[in-house]
Amino acid sequence: ALVTTHGPFAAAIGHSVGAAALGVALRRGARLGRVVLIGAPASLSEHAQDFARLLGITPSIRDAMRRRLERRYGVRFDEIDRIEELAHVRVPALFVHDRGDDEVSYEHALRLQARMPGARLITTYGFGHRRLLREPTVVRAIVDFVAGDVEGLPAELPVLPRPAPMF
């Protein structure tokens, strides 16, 4: 809706479930110059199960929450989870995901990146699901990507010397 009413946009950045929503928009044809997906779940159904488990929510409450969200937003979780459709998206994409993310596991980033042709992944260490949003080196890398400066983008942050020192 934003692209239709306020676009076109040179780029869009989404975090967590917002990144999943951005993936749906891309699959539905939203035209964007570049896209950054931070801590994105590859499956909203899996993410809801993990989230419920983390908070001690019973399966029946979790399922009621899912049904309510689906009614409210008019989209089924199954539709959001069709990441194989990302293979048809032709937009420069950057995934940023922390290896130790305890809310959306790093494996989700690997699954998403594998579906998007030419997508890049920056793996972070020690920033978790939210702190990476405030980490200056991560923000700088995202700004560089959005500006089109992809040559110096690191594959990992923080960048450690090889071999990394043992403390």
Side-chain angles (χ1 to χ4, degrees), residues 92-107:
L94 174 67
F95 291 97
V96 181
H97 212 111
D98 195 85
R99 190 78 169 132
D101 189 328
D102 59 359
E103 293 184 37
V104 179
S105 77
Y106 179 75
E107 186 267 343

Side-chain angles (χ1 to χ4, degrees), residues 1 4-6 30 34 39 43 57 66-67 70 82 84 95 102 114 130 133 141 145:
T4 301
T5 59
H6 294 81
R34 294 181 172 278
S43 166
I57 296 171
R66 178 190 48 80
R67 287 189 302 274
E70 288 176 341
R82 292 196 310 243
E84 66 281 352
F95 291 97
D102 59 359
R130 291 186 178 83
L133 296 169
F145 176 80

